[in-house]
Amino acid sequence: MTEDLRYPVGRFDTAARPGPDDVRRWIEEIAGAPAQLRAAVEGLSAEQLDTAYRPGGWTVRQVVHHVPDSHANAYVRFKLALTEEAPVIKPYEEARWAELEDTRATPVEVSLALLDALHHRWVLLLRSLGPDDLARVYRHPELGTSVRLDSAVGLYAWHGRHHVAHVVALRERMGWG
């Protein structure tokens, strides 16, 4: 982990062209992400869940709800890319999603269960993909680029590590065990 509270595992390297071993490793990271996030928040009180992981950052509760929001969007993007030719995806305002009432009022266990179920389906899909599938793309209108699915697997493996590290680093700084 780095000392940067915003990017405790560093930033995702978008320039790297992944190989098959990278993709397999990332799929296994995606498979393990729900258990890692669950372990990271295990035993936290409501007050601790409502603590920001960094000054000006989201609360742990918001982070927990954000991960399945983000990964549900990713799952849909993968399915679109696998069934359409270079579809343009719909971006979303993740910061505004994190402010909605369901984020404040829903117990984190609901999002942890959602992440378990979502990753079960997503990992089954990811493990079924061959090289031609992984070379398919979706277009991101805000970035103005096409995103290959093999690179997107890496992005979302990083995304899970990134947010688990937010919670783990906060627990360590606060002495929450």
Side-chain angles (χ1 to χ4, degrees):
M1 278 202 239
T2 70
E3 295 297 316
D4 184 341
L5 297 181
R6 188 162 182 205
Y7 294 100
V9 297
R11 291 180 180 260
F12 179 68
D13 180 7
T14 58
R17 174 66 71 177
D21 290 339
D22 298 315
V23 173
R24 279 190 289 275
R25 184 180 76 251
W26 292 334
I27 291 170
E28 295 314 306
E29 287 181 25
I30 290 171
Q36 290 176 350
L37 185 58
R38 184 179 298 279
V41 300
E42 185 176 359
L44 293 182
S45 69
E47 181 180 2
Q48 290 168 326
L49 289 169
D50 291 327
T51 302
Y53 75 88
R54 67 175 173 86
W58 285 345
T59 66
V60 172
R61 183 182 311 278
Q62 286 173 305
V63 168
V64 171
H65 292 310
H66 163 72
V67 174
D69 284 348
S70 173
H71 291 196
N73 275 281
Y75 178 62
V76 169
R77 291 170 181 181
F78 271 74
K79 292 189 84 147
L80 289 169
L82 291 165
T83 59
E84 299 175 18
E85 285 305 313
V88 176
I89 57 98
K90 169 84 173 76
Y92 70 104
E93 298 291 335
E94 64 182 37
R96 293 182 68 191
W97 282 37
E99 297 297 328
L100 293 173
E101 184 60 26
D102 66 318
T103 300
R104 285 189 287 278
T106 304
V108 295
E109 180 54 41
V110 173
S111 281
L112 293 169
L114 175 58
L115 194 65
D116 283 335
L118 174 63
H119 277 227
H120 182 88
R121 294 257 324 257
W122 194 15
V123 168
L124 283 172
L125 177 65
L126 292 173
R127 287 178 177 154
S128 75
L129 302 180
D132 290 342
D133 299 315
L134 290 163
R136 294 183 66 88
V137 300
Y138 59 80
R139 293 181 308 175
H140 197 298
E142 289 178 341
L143 301 177
T145 62
S146 292
V147 178
R148 283 176 52 114
L149 292 186
D150 53 5
S151 294
V153 173
L155 172 64
Y156 288 99
W158 170 87
H159 188 256
R161 283 193 316 274
H162 168 73
H163 285 304
V164 166
H166 284 149
V167 178
V168 170
L170 175 65
R171 288 184 79 129
E172 289 172 0
R173 286 193 316 277
M174 301 297 283
W176 292 344

